[in-house]
Amino acid sequence: MEITARLAAFTDLAGPPPDAVPAVDWAAVEAWLEVPLPADYKALVSAYGPVEIGDGVAAIRLHTPCVSADGRYEYGAWVVETHRHSAIRPRMFTRERRRFLPEEGGLLALATTAGGDHLFWDTSVSKDPDAWPVVLLTTSIAVGEGEPWVSYEVPLLDVLSAPARESAAAREGVAVRAWAPLAGARPWSPPPRGAYVDARQHAALTEGEGLAAVTALIPPPLDPHLGEGTWEQVFERLGTRLPPDFVALSERYGAGNWSWWLDMPAPLDLRSRRGLAAGVEEMLEGYRDLREGHPQYYPLPAWPEPGGFLPFASTIDGDMIGWCAEGEPDKWRVAVDPRHSDQGPPLPGNFTETLLDWLRGDGPATAGFHGLRADQDPLEYMFFEPFGPRGAG
């Protein structure tokens, strides 16, 4: 079936666009990417803009050349960050190395799923972009469980048609919905040749402080998984308020993993073990047992004793990251319980300050945190991978 016919069939199924569509200068976008784009994508984006197709964690969120109303999403920076992250992640699962644009024949990001998977075109297959098949990088498998790459071997419209039909049947004919984080988006203009499209991230390696610098350095997810509870419920269950910097950062990022090392729980999930409250309770019980058996290795008392250790996150190495809960929560300093070494004194800063120092490679200020490579641009190995409500990335 020709592209025009397939597009007509899709639009008949999808109906009218749910929101205003930002204009796209396709010539400028293709010049910046240095490749032409498939006709079905350009026609679909011109008609519908950034939309969500399908339901559940498999719903596909179409990323388009635009800038979100709040400035958190910017097409060029998203492409660069997605390619950067997707070159890192599969190394945990497979020896197969995939190329990404601007490498010749590289993959080109086009969409994500509600479960956190990434969709790409495989530009190595043909010089004709209309023949590029879609491939998927899943983030929902664990190490050793399977292959992270899935090839659909068909163009974009064919990939979108199945979830559109299922969604239309389930939603009384509604197959395409506005994607809330990009509602009201405005047109995107490529940066001048030679300029960093992710200049804000590079600047944040040395400039700024606090949450503003962290979010500039590592863009937070557009729809973080927080959970369905409230902070007041979390505070009541834990018996204390938590540092305001941690609350603000958790609201921006939600559940996820920092650079395949530091796991952050869903802050407002009160129902599962993946939630913050359950994680704190479990880790605190374990810490009390360890300190009772070997007090010489655990100098900090366990919270709620004055100055007690209150863990809130864990690492892939089995370390516990927490606070020295001394004084008011806004004064709490980060403390680490390393699995493979003795516990040291609290660090000098709060969690957001410590995280930023770690991202920037300031080792002395982050003792107990996993060492990062000093000979490489931190942007080449640092990322935040969000976890979805069902444990998917």
Side-chain angles (χ1 to χ4, degrees):
M1 186 183 299
E2 294 183 358
I3 290 176
T4 53
R6 289 191 290 116
L7 184 63
F10 183 86
T11 54
D12 286 344
L13 178 65
D19 201 356
V21 178
V24 178
D25 183 342
W26 291 112
V29 172
E30 291 174 325
W32 179 77
L33 290 170
E34 299 183 341
V35 292
L37 291 168
D40 59 354
Y41 172 77
K42 291 191 287 187
L44 192 62
V45 168
S46 296
Y48 290 94
V51 291
E52 185 174 56
I53 304 162
D55 295 291
V57 294
I60 295 174
R61 293 161 172 177
L62 199 62
H63 287 251
T64 71
C66 66
V67 179
S68 64
D70 61 7
R72 292 171 58 196
Y73 170 87
E74 190 268 341
Y75 173 74
W78 174 78
V79 169
V80 170
E81 178 68 13
T82 302
H83 288 184
R84 179 187 291 136
H85 174 196
S86 300
I88 299 169
R89 190 183 198 281
R91 296 174 193 166
M92 298 292 292
F93 305 92
T94 178
R95 293 179 180 273
E96 180 182 6
R97 179 183 180 274
R98 293 292 184 104
R99 294 173 295 165
F100 298 85
L101 288 182
E103 287 190 52
E104 184 177 357
L107 300 176
L108 173 57
L110 68 104
T112 56
T113 70
D117 300 333
H118 301 306
L119 282 79
F120 306 82
W121 288 293
D122 185 351
T123 73
S124 69
V125 170
S126 174
K127 295 295 185 182
D128 177 8
D130 294 333
W132 291 346
V134 173
V135 297
L136 177 142
L137 172 62
T138 181
T139 60
S140 60
I141 63 171
V143 176
E145 287 188 355
E147 169 62 42
W149 293 103
V150 179
S151 177
Y152 291 116
E153 300 181 351
V154 294
L156 176 62
L157 271 180
D158 292 343
V159 173
L160 297 179
S161 294
R165 281 193 297 269
E166 294 171 2
S167 185
R171 292 173 171 264
E172 299 180 353
V174 179
V176 174
R177 301 175 301 285
W179 186 26
L182 297 186
R186 59 184 186 272
W188 174 72
S189 297
R193 181 65 59 187
Y196 280 124
V197 71
D198 55 347
R200 184 170 62 173
Q201 288 179 267
H202 284 270
L205 287 170
T206 56
E207 300 173 4
E209 58 186 24
L211 181 59
V214 174
T215 57
L217 187 60
I218 306 295
L222 293 174
D223 51 353
H225 172 49
L226 304 180
E228 298 180 356
T230 68
W231 283 109
E232 292 303 321
Q233 289 174 312
V234 173
F235 299 158
E236 182 178 2
R237 179 166 166 178
L238 295 180
T240 180
R241 305 189 73 81
L242 298 178
D245 76 283
F246 173 80
V247 170
L249 184 136
S250 295
E251 288 176 344
R252 292 299 299 274
Y253 287 91
N257 176 275
W258 290 95
S259 196
W260 242 173
W261 183 70
L262 176 60
D263 280 334
M264 295 294 291
L268 304 181
D269 183 352
L270 297 169
R271 300 179 179 179
S272 75
R273 293 182 60 194
R274 294 182 65 87
L276 171 65
V280 168
E281 292 164 350
E282 182 177 347
M283 288 186 289
L284 194 55
E285 181 180 358
Y287 181 80
R288 288 194 183 104
D289 290 342
L290 289 170
R291 188 168 191 273
E292 183 178 347
H294 306 280
Q296 68 274 25
Y297 300 128
Y298 301 92
L300 290 180
W303 188 86
E305 294 181 55
F309 179 60
L310 178 58
F312 63 86
S314 61
T315 78
I316 195 172
D317 297 321
D319 313 304
M320 290 189 286
I321 310 296
W323 297 284
C324 174
E326 186 172 25
E328 294 299 314
D330 62 349
K331 303 296 184 183
W332 290 359
R333 294 172 294 162
V334 171
V336 180
D337 174 28
R339 181 181 179 186
H340 300 295
S341 60
D342 295 344
Q343 187 179 44
L347 302 179
N350 64 31
F351 180 66
T352 303
E353 294 167 345
T354 304
L355 180 67
L356 180 60
D357 287 338
W358 179 57
L359 294 172
R360 289 172 169 171
D362 189 354
T366 57
F369 276 56
H370 174 68
L372 301 176
R373 291 180 57 178
D375 62 341
Q376 193 174 5
D377 182 345
L379 295 180
E380 294 298 327
Y381 54 83
M382 287 304 306
F383 59 87
F384 181 80
E385 180 175 288
F387 296 153
R390 298 183 184 179

